[in-house]
Amino acid sequence: MRRRGSALAAAALLPALLLLARGSGEAGERRSVERTEELLVLTVKGPIQEVLTALQTAIARRNYFVAGINHLDDTLRRRAADLGKPFDFDHYKILSFCNLTLADEALAADPAVGAFMPCRLVLFSRKGSPEVVILTMRPTFLARVFRPTEVQRLATRVEADVVAILEMVAADLP
């Protein structure tokens, strides 16, 4: 059980570490979903509110619901000002979403899957950049932590949905 706990802790920290190491990407326009071993990434141009609206619409079209949006930018901006430090983002938000049918199936396969639920998308734009980066951990990458093949099968389905959501956003935005 100790090995699973270490793997879960490492997987929970990985998105933040990868985000810090990543930087802002190329200056050119990217309209397709970039797939690394760990992440799905889409870079679009447009006001953050338009990107959020396009995401919420695409999420609903794939039979998921938005569970909440954490507006970390507001809090982190105030904290940076209090500390006298710069804040390098115009926007930084985390959108949580879920499909209850898939969630029920995943929890039945292994209750520990709940540690990775609901699905999350990070949206950010660096200070002064017209680009909004949307990224998430690949469900199939996270599923490697679990032994039941049912979890891996469900992760493949969820990942296909997330890619479809990101592709819809790419198609809907200029």
Side-chain angles (χ1 to χ4, degrees):
M1 191 66 179
R2 183 167 173 78
R3 182 173 171 213
R4 176 183 261 182
S6 298
L8 289 173
L13 290 175
L14 191 57
L17 295 173
L18 290 171
L19 178 61
L20 290 173
R22 194 177 155 70
S24 61
E26 303 89 47
E29 187 174 326
R30 266 190 289 167
R31 304 269 317 174
S32 61
V33 177
E34 177 186 342
R35 299 166 197 221
T36 69
E37 182 180 356
E38 307 89 2
L39 299 173
L40 298 171
V41 183
L42 175 66
T43 302
V44 295
K45 290 185 179 180
I48 194 76
Q49 193 54 52
E50 284 182 27
V51 176
L52 275 170
T53 299
L55 266 174
Q56 290 171 322
T57 299
I59 286 166
R61 285 154 107 187
R62 295 301 294 191
N63 200 28
Y64 288 72
F65 72 94
V66 173
I69 301 172
N70 294 328
H71 302 276
L72 289 181
D73 43 11
D74 297 335
T75 304
L76 292 174
R77 191 176 293 108
R78 284 193 303 271
R79 183 172 184 268
D82 289 347
L83 296 174
K85 294 184 176 185
F87 182 64
D88 295 333
F89 299 93
D90 282 332
H91 302 283
Y92 197 101
K93 303 181 183 307
I94 301 173
L95 186 145
S96 302
F97 63 105
C98 190
N99 174 299
L100 293 177
T101 301
L102 294 174
D104 184 51
E105 290 177 37
L107 293 173
D110 188 334
V113 172
F116 298 102
M117 293 168 49
C119 298
R120 284 178 285 291
L121 291 165
V122 173
L123 295 84
F124 69 86
S125 62
R126 295 205 177 266
K127 192 152 297 279
S129 174
E131 296 180 327
V132 176
V133 177
I134 307 166
L135 66 85
T136 189
M137 293 290 292
R138 291 181 79 154
T140 54
F141 180 75
L142 293 173
R144 295 177 188 174
V145 174
F146 300 96
R147 293 203 188 282
T149 57
E150 180 63 14
V151 172
Q152 295 164 4
R153 186 187 67 73
L154 287 166
T156 300
R157 285 177 54 196
V158 171
E159 187 166 308
D161 285 343
V162 173
V163 169
I165 288 165
L166 293 174
E167 287 173 344
M168 282 186 246
V169 170
D172 287 348
L173 294 174

